Amino acid sequence: MDSGKPPLAGVKDAVQVAVNIRPLIGSELLQGCRDCINVVAGEPQIQLGTHCFTFDYVYGTTTESSSSKIFKECVAPLVDGLFYGYNATVLAYGQTGSGKTYTMGTGYTPGGNNGGVIPQVMEKIFNKAHHLRNQTHFHIRVSFIEILKEEIHDLLCETTVTKQDTSGMKTPLLTRPSIQIRESTAGEINLAGITETDVHTLQEMASCLAQGSLSRATGSTNMNSRSSRSHAIFTITLEQKKKHREKSSSSFDAACDDFLCGKLHLVDLAGSERAKRTGTDGMRFKEGVHINKGLLALGNVISVLGEDKRRKEPRHVPYRDSKLTRLLQDSLGGNSRTVMIACISPADSNVEETLNTLKYANRARNIQNKPIVNRDPIGTEMQKLRQQLNLLQAELVCARASECAPTVLEVVERRPTSGYDEHTAEPTSLLQSYMRTIHDLEAELQLLRTSCSGDVRRVSTSSDGGCSDIVDGNHGLLSETRCLMSHLIENYADVFEEDAMTAKEVEHHLFLRECMDKELQELNMQLKEKEAEMTRVANNDAAVLKDHFDKKILELEEEKKKLQMEKKLLSSELESLHSSSDEQTKRIQSSYAQKFSVGLTLQAYHLQVHLQNRIKQESEHFRTWKACREKELMRLRKEGRRNEYEMHKLQTLHERQKQVLHRKTEEAATASRRLKEVLESRKQEARENHVSGTPAKLTAKTFQQWFDNELESAVRLREARLAYEKQNAFQEGDARSDAQNAPTSPCDTEAPSVSSFSNGRIDSLERTSTAITISTTAVDLEEEQYRVRGPVRWQQVRTLGDAKDLLNFVFNVAACARCQLGDREHENKELNEKINLLLDELRQTECQKKQLEELMPRTTNNTGVSDAHADELLRLDIGGLLEEQVMSFSNPDELGDGACQSIEPNPESSGRTWKWRKSGTQKWPLQFKWKWQKPWRIAQWTQKNEKAIRPASSALRVLDMI
Ligand SMILES: Nc1ncnc2c1ncn2[C@@H]1O[C@H](COP(=O)(O)OP(=O)(O)OP(=O)(O)O)[C@@H](O)[C@H]1O
């Protein structure tokens, strides 16, 4: 729409969308609002947050007055188009207080500082009309209406009085019936009973605008001190007729183009609003609701029209949902060139509403209109007829020429002189008379057009006024013309019999046209009836609905009665079947067979449906059953794994016990061996003494050696006795557990249990033999002590000197032993303290663990093994049972000091590597997942990361060591 040139008639023309961003106003600056709109430099693009929109024009970013720029770029081409006979609409849309009235200039006051689009439009129209005054007659009319709470009010009606309440709100008081919307046969939307004021000067038009602006409903809200409470439409109708045309037959075509009529709607919509923000209540709130309703309907129309662009088959457009959309029917998707100005506020407090406006406007860009040049409808019709006539004449002339026959005109010209008889001269005179009639008709229609565009239209305030009468009259004239034409064709057929066929065709064509016209009129009548019915229904909804449904019920009951009668008839027929004759029986039988076969087919169909349903149900049952089975299987597998784990646990325990026992047995065996050695040396010594007769004189060194040996044998004896006692106690405990573990029923005699039981028996036997050896040795030693050494031990101490030496040595040994004892006691004390500390720590950790377990859902792996069990498994090196293990760490300290920097759990199975880092960048809690299939891998890992498992496990291990 850059140039003033109008588009080609009938060619689709998209709705142009311009965005006008007003500056931050005083109240917004006071609230500390910030500009949140970003306009892409040099592009008609707007960025709002993450959203980006492209429009046809964006204004408000430069210092130049945006309204004059909007007018120059968007509206002026529409005004130019008006002079070519195109309809146009300028529509301002936006949230309340976004500057629609300011942009459109609807708040016009005479002598005030009036900016905006409308004042500039008025100026341009009158300038252009003045410029073209020598070639064209102009007839300009204006109307100004508002839609307030779904009612149309005429703002130029002298008798409309506005009431102003205490808050400054202006409401029109109606003194005349409200205005009705009518749709003409051509699909044009008209308002019956509206005041259309003829204007001849700019001042006259401006005063109309001022009068309407003054009457418009306004009020104060939190968001706008002078908020428009209604949608306002200022319409300028421009009719033009070319001057200085010659009245000739050829001028008739031109005359049709001479008369053009364009309408320009300038629409200032009420702003969308949120009651919370505008702070409205009572009446004002209700107004807000109506405003939003109208805008919603408009949004729906825009959406549907926007979608239509992408859809192949057109959808129903809900124009009738509101009066606003009904009035804008031509402007959106119809015969009009349309510009939508989306007004927005840049304040960040309005960001949500601004975003909605931009989305709304963006959708409007998809609407395609179909503007056409609005000519005089009667003139257009006449032009069509004229063209048809010309065509017919040309065809006839051609036909004659091809047969070297004289042309119509030649015939006409030749007739008077050729001396034809009366009969042949008749068509010529008829043709001449027809020519005269056409001429007369032309003149009459010219007159009619003048009268239609003149006084008659000015007084179109009555809903079915004189204009429609005159149009009806014209239709009469037109049909008369058609009669004359058909008559003429008949006459031609008389004269030129050869062209009878063509004439008939044309006649048929005309007849069809007439039929279609009639049909159209009938349709219009029906439409009117429907409208009336709709109004009746709307007025008396419930009652009409009730009547309607009552009727329906009655109809249904009648049908039911009929069916019952039919049923009775059939049963009586069946009864009479037995008594009737053979032939009749056959007939009836065949009819029943037929019915039966139909019944069978029906039954088969029902059965098929039933069967399908059953199959569906069965498959559904099967699916549920299968799911249950799978669940059960899973549970059993889980249980199996748990059992397996328990068994392994027991086996491991058993292994451990075995190891401990083995160690103890070995210890006992060593003690016994050493005891034996001591015993042997004693015996040897005794034997030597016995051979020499007297015991050898002891030196200080040998004396000490002897004393050490004596002490050693005493200690060994004590050790052996202790080992014997322990062995005894262990054996007793073992015997008890063996008795408990011994198989009691055939079910318990499974392989692992049997083997563990027999193993236990073997161990117990081994232990018994060791104990016997120890006890024998110990008894031997004791015997020897008492028998041999006891009485003779001190024989070697013969002198007082020997005794003193011995005493000294004993004293030194005792002192040394006491010192060592003291040291040990001290160490013991320290160890005890450490144990206590560790126990406290353990208790605390256990408490924390319990709390965590209560708080968090237990982390389990798919083997069903809990965290605690998993730790235990790792500790016992039998984690190979685990298929998958999940470990979680809630803080870095849990990884321990020795935490491995990286581990590669199972490169073959998963090929993944988990890096363990104890850095501050790591996020906690962490969860590690790995999958191992072989026990040795777990064992390997446990060895490597022993300290990293958990403090609780580490503490357990330390305790074990102690
Ligand atoms: N471009 C602009 N420059 C300066 N002020 C503006 C501009 N546009 C609007 N304003 C101011 O913003 C306020 C609201 O404007 P206006 O009344 O036109 O909004 P509106 O959209 O018509 O509101 P409503 O829908 O409530 O009628 C007015 O005070 C007006 O002067």
Side-chain angles (χ1 to χ4, degrees):
M1 222 176 280
D2 297 334
S3 72
K5 267 192 172 181
L8 287 170
V11 171
K12 283 194 174 179
D13 194 36
V15 169
Q16 302 276 296
V17 176
V19 176
N20 188 25
I21 313 163
R22 69 152 165 76
L24 286 169
I25 55 173
S27 57
E28 287 169 346
L29 289 168
L30 272 176
Q31 284 167 23
C33 295
R34 296 234 184 112
D35 191 335
C36 66
I37 291 170
N38 191 15
V39 178
V40 179
E43 297 287 334
Q45 270 182 10
I46 290 181
Q47 270 182 344
L48 187 63
T50 54
H51 301 268
C52 189
F53 300 93
T54 305
F55 296 98
D56 298 295
Y57 309 93
V58 175
Y59 301 101
T61 50
T62 56
T63 45
E64 191 188 343
S65 158
S66 59
S67 75
S68 66
K69 237 184 144 191
I70 292 173
F71 176 74
K72 250 190 264 163
E73 290 177 1
C74 309
V75 186
L78 298 191
V79 177
D80 289 337
L82 199 66
F83 282 82
Y84 284 95
Y86 285 99
N87 292 343
T89 306
V90 181
L91 188 83
Y93 173 81
Q95 80 170 115
T96 180
S98 57
K100 297 178 293 295
T101 309
Y102 185 95
T103 308
M104 292 301 288
T106 336
Y108 190 90
T109 47
N113 183 19
N114 295 303
V117 168
I118 302 180
Q120 293 177 77
V121 166
M122 296 194 301
E123 207 178 321
K124 180 157 177 119
I125 287 177
F126 280 99
N127 280 345
K128 213 165 165 148
H130 181 72
H131 187 66
L132 298 168
R133 69 185 183 282
N134 293 333
Q135 304 122 52
T136 318
H137 279 301
F138 286 103
H139 179 214
I140 305 171
R141 304 189 303 274
V142 290
S143 66
F144 201 178
I145 57 137
E146 70 172 351
I147 306 170
L148 179 69
K149 291 193 265 177
E150 271 306 272
E151 271 188 29
I152 301 170
H153 299 152
D154 188 346
L155 295 175
L156 296 185
C157 177
E158 307 265 304
T159 44
T160 302
V161 182
T162 50
K163 183 187 98 179
Q164 192 159 4
D165 63 16
T166 45
S167 64
M169 166 77 180
K170 278 191 270 161
T171 334
L173 294 174
L174 287 184
T175 52
R176 49 184 289 168
S178 70
I179 292 156
Q180 300 295 316
I181 302 171
R182 291 272 159 84
E183 190 170 346
S184 73
T185 45
E188 198 186 350
I189 301 290
N190 291 313
L191 290 170
I194 191 158
T195 311
E196 281 193 284
T197 312
D198 285 340
V199 286
H200 304 97
T201 60
L202 175 61
Q203 287 70 30
E204 278 178 20
M205 195 185 263
S207 77
C208 284
L209 178 64
Q211 184 196 336
S213 301
L214 211 69
S215 308
R216 191 178 173 193
T218 53
S220 167
T221 69
N222 284 354
M223 298 206 50
N224 190 359
S225 56
R226 201 171 181 277
S227 173
S228 315
R229 311 309 293 161
S230 63
H231 309 296
I233 305 177
F234 185 70
T235 307
I236 302 170
T237 312
L238 181 88
E239 281 176 1
Q240 49 184 316
K241 197 159 78 70
K242 295 271 184 308
K243 291 179 181 174
H244 311 306
R245 288 279 185 196
E246 282 174 24
K247 294 276 178 194
S248 67
S249 61
S250 61
S251 75
F252 190 83
D253 294 346
C256 294
D257 267 344
D258 280 355
F259 182 84
L260 296 172
C261 176
K263 273 186 183 182
L264 174 62
H265 296 299
L266 298 151
V267 188
D268 174 14
L269 296 174
S272 57
E273 59 184 47
R274 292 185 180 182
K276 238 188 198 174
R277 297 197 66 199
T278 49
T280 51
D281 51 19
M283 277 295 286
R284 203 60 50 83
F285 174 75
K286 275 185 193 163
E287 280 161 20
V289 171
H290 278 287
I291 290 170
N292 288 341
K293 250 190 191 173
L295 294 174
L296 180 72
L298 182 63
N300 291 340
V301 166
I302 289 175
S303 290
V304 173
L305 290 169
E307 272 177 30
D308 268 358
K309 195 181 170 187
R310 277 170 266 132
R311 290 164 65 95
K312 278 194 182 137
E313 74 274 16
R315 268 178 65 187
H316 164 71
V317 185
Y319 288 119
R320 284 171 186 268
D321 280 5
S322 78
K323 291 209 166 132
L324 176 68
T325 47
R326 191 98 170 88
L327 285 181
L328 294 179
Q329 189 166 334
D330 271 341
S331 310
L332 300 165
N335 171 21
S336 174
R337 303 169 72 200
T338 302
V339 168
M340 180 173 173
I341 306 172
C343 298
I344 55 171
S345 147
D348 50 4
S349 59
N350 293 329
V351 70
E352 224 173 292
E353 284 90 344
T354 303
L355 188 65
N356 282 339
T357 306
L358 293 177
K359 281 182 184 169
Y360 207 95
N362 204 37
R363 261 184 282 156
R365 286 191 78 206
N366 295 326
I367 301 174
Q368 295 282 332
N369 284 355
K370 285 155 269 174
I372 54 161
V373 174
N374 299 296
R375 293 187 175 92
D376 176 17
I378 301 157
T380 316
E381 186 76 7
M382 274 309 295
Q383 192 188 22
K384 269 188 202 160
L385 289 172
R386 183 85 194 161
Q387 274 170 355
Q388 261 179 351
L389 190 66
N390 283 346
L391 206 78
L392 264 170
Q393 276 181 341
E395 270 178 21
L396 283 171
V397 167
C398 286
R400 293 305 301 162
S402 65
E403 290 169 24
C404 300
T407 63
V408 178
L409 284 173
E410 275 171 358
V411 171
V412 172
E413 278 164 12
R414 241 191 296 152
R415 294 285 155 93
T417 51
S418 61
Y420 277 152
D421 61 19
E422 239 179 84
H423 177 72
T424 45
E426 196 185 354
T428 319
S429 62
L430 276 173
L431 183 66
Q432 279 169 348
S433 86
Y434 172 70
M435 290 295 218
R436 270 199 306 277
T437 318
I438 289 283
H439 189 263
D440 290 349
L441 200 62
E442 260 182 28
E444 216 169 314
L445 283 167
Q446 202 69 23
L447 247 167
L448 189 67
R449 197 169 52 235
T450 324
S451 67
C452 271
S453 60
D455 293 343
V456 180
R457 286 204 184 170
R458 202 178 309 140
V459 290
S460 64
T461 45
S462 68
S463 56
D464 299 298
C467 192
S468 61
D469 292 344
I470 287 162
V471 172
D472 286 348
N474 280 345
H475 273 293
L477 278 172
L478 276 171
S479 57
E480 239 176 73
T481 316
R482 281 190 204 112
C483 276
L484 280 168
M485 278 186 70
S486 62
H487 196 57
L488 175 76
I489 287 154
E490 269 172 29
N491 289 336
Y492 267 117
D494 287 342
V495 178
F496 311 106
E497 278 167 17
E498 307 90 330
D499 296 316
M501 280 297 285
T502 326
K504 282 277 172 218
E505 250 176 57
V506 174
E507 193 185 2
H508 178 66
H509 183 67
L510 282 170
F511 174 71
L512 276 180
R513 276 184 66 89
E514 221 164 278
C515 285
M516 275 164 78
D517 272 359
K518 266 183 197 164
E519 221 171 290
L520 199 67
Q521 270 173 0
E522 267 170 29
L523 278 172
N524 268 332
M525 287 280 283
Q526 277 175 9
L527 197 69
K528 271 182 194 167
E529 272 171 25
K530 288 264 178 237
E531 265 180 3
E533 206 177 319
M534 288 264 289
T535 337
R536 249 186 293 123
V537 169
N539 290 342
N540 203 2
D541 241 358
V544 173
L545 274 176
K546 196 175 171 286
D547 280 357
H548 175 74
F549 283 111
D550 282 350
K551 260 187 205 169
K552 280 267 167 214
I553 289 167
L554 278 175
E555 275 171 22
L556 283 170
E557 267 174 9
E558 262 174 38
E559 209 170 312
K560 191 182 150 192
K561 270 180 200 164
K562 255 190 215 170
L563 283 170
Q564 276 171 349
M565 290 276 284
E566 211 174 305
K567 192 185 155 196
K568 265 184 196 169
L569 215 74
L570 276 170
S571 49
S572 63
E573 256 182 60
L574 199 71
E575 274 168 21
S576 64
L577 188 74
H578 301 290
S579 51
S580 62
S581 67
D582 268 5
E583 208 175 304
Q584 205 180 351
T585 314
K586 266 183 197 169
R587 197 158 36 83
I588 292 167
Q589 261 181 352
S590 74
S591 92
Y592 273 94
Q594 222 172 356
K595 277 181 187 173
F596 183 65
S597 77
V598 171
L600 264 183
T601 326
L602 262 172
Q603 217 170 345
Y605 172 74
H606 284 309
L607 271 173
Q608 205 177 343
V609 171
H610 181 69
L611 204 66
Q612 275 173 355
N613 284 344
R614 275 302 294 272
I615 289 168
K616 253 187 213 169
Q617 276 176 4
E618 285 300 321
S619 62
E620 196 59 43
H621 275 163
F622 176 71
R623 219 177 302 135
T624 352
W625 174 83
K626 202 177 155 192
C628 275
R629 291 283 310 186
E630 271 167 9
K631 232 178 182 177
E632 183 66 20
L633 210 67
M634 287 276 282
R635 195 184 61 75
L636 284 172
R637 269 193 205 141
K638 222 171 177 179
E639 213 166 283
R641 277 198 296 268
R642 202 172 293 144
N643 285 343
E644 216 176 321
Y645 158 70
E646 284 292 333
M647 198 183 77
H648 275 271
K649 194 179 162 187
L650 280 172
Q651 272 182 348
T652 316
L653 199 69
H654 176 71
E655 282 294 318
R656 277 189 70 214
Q657 281 178 345
K658 209 169 141 185
Q659 278 172 11
V660 171
L661 185 70
H662 185 68
R663 203 178 65 228
K664 296 252 188 260
T665 318
E666 271 190 354
E667 274 173 19
T670 320
S672 151
R673 199 176 57 245
R674 284 175 69 184
L675 197 65
K676 259 185 185 170
E677 279 168 14
V678 172
L679 212 58
E680 271 308 305
S681 71
R682 288 275 176 281
K683 276 179 183 169
Q684 183 64 30
E685 202 183 313
R687 246 180 269 129
E688 278 168 13
N689 285 345
H690 187 70
V691 171
S692 64
T694 52
K697 175 94 173 74
L698 289 172
T699 61
K701 201 180 167 189
T702 48
F703 194 74
Q704 278 178 21
Q705 215 170 358
W706 167 78
F707 188 75
D708 269 349
N709 283 343
E710 282 302 311
L711 274 179
E712 180 71 20
S713 60
V715 169
R716 294 285 158 237
L717 184 65
R718 188 175 147 68
E719 271 180 4
R721 196 179 296 129
L722 271 176
Y724 171 71
E725 276 168 10
K726 263 191 194 173
Q727 202 73 16
N728 262 352
F730 201 74
Q731 250 177 299
E732 274 168 25
D734 230 35
R736 268 201 302 278
S737 69
D738 278 353
Q740 279 167 6
N741 286 343
T744 50
S745 73
C747 304
D748 293 335
T749 55
E750 283 168 17
S753 310
V754 169
S755 74
S756 67
F757 179 70
S758 55
N759 282 346
R761 296 303 312 156
I762 293 160
D763 294 342
S764 135
L765 283 172
E766 273 176 18
R767 266 176 263 148
T768 317
S769 77
T770 321
I772 290 166
T773 323
I774 294 169
S775 65
T776 324
T777 322
V779 168
D780 284 356
L781 196 67
E782 257 179 300
E783 267 179 12
E784 201 270 340
Q785 285 275 331
Y786 280 101
R787 190 173 52 79
V788 186
R789 307 296 298 171
V792 292
R793 178 172 285 150
W794 309 110
Q795 268 183 9
Q796 293 188 32
V797 185
R798 290 185 201 131
T799 61
L800 196 64
D802 286 350
K804 272 183 183 171
D805 281 349
L806 183 65
L807 211 61
N808 254 343
F809 180 69
V810 170
F811 178 79
N812 284 342
V813 168
C816 196
R818 188 171 278 190
C819 284
Q820 277 177 356
L821 202 67
D823 287 350
R824 287 275 152 81
E825 270 177 6
H826 187 68
E827 271 174 23
N828 265 351
K829 243 186 194 173
E830 276 182 355
L831 271 171
N832 273 338
E833 275 170 12
K834 265 188 192 170
I835 289 167
N836 283 340
L837 273 173
L838 279 167
L839 278 172
D840 283 348
E841 211 176 296
L842 179 66
R843 259 177 243 122
Q844 275 178 10
T845 320
E846 289 294 329
C847 277
Q848 277 174 358
K849 196 178 163 189
K850 261 184 200 164
Q851 280 172 359
L852 275 172
E853 274 173 359
E854 275 165 21
L855 281 174
M856 283 161 43
R858 279 168 81 87
T859 317
T860 54
N861 49 53
N862 63 2
T863 58
V865 180
S866 71
D867 260 9
H869 276 159
D871 276 357
E872 185 65 10
L873 283 171
L874 288 169
R875 207 163 66 81
L876 299 175
D877 280 3
I878 57 163
L881 276 175
L882 295 174
E883 284 171 22
E884 190 178 309
Q885 172 67 44
V886 177
M887 278 188 81
S888 53
F889 299 89
S890 54
N891 71 61
D893 292 330
E894 281 190 21
L895 278 173
D897 289 330
C900 198
Q901 287 301 303
S902 67
I903 54 164
E904 292 181 7
N906 191 1
E908 300 98 37
S909 67
S910 66
R912 279 179 288 172
T913 303
W914 288 273
K915 301 273 182 206
W916 285 31
R917 266 172 281 124
K918 206 190 150 194
S919 68
T921 56
Q922 196 70 59
K923 277 190 180 169
W924 303 94
L926 280 185
Q927 217 181 49
F928 297 101
K929 236 182 184 184
W930 68 90
K931 222 175 190 179
W932 283 326
Q933 285 136 2
K934 303 228 169 77
W936 60 268
R937 286 197 176 276
I938 290 274
Q940 228 178 23
W941 184 86
T942 318
Q943 267 176 8
K944 259 170 95 179
N945 303 285
E946 201 168 18
K947 283 185 193 164
I949 299 173
R950 278 191 192 189
S953 321
S954 314
L956 277 171
R957 216 162 285 119
V958 173
L959 274 176
D960 255 10
M961 275 159 57
I962 292 163

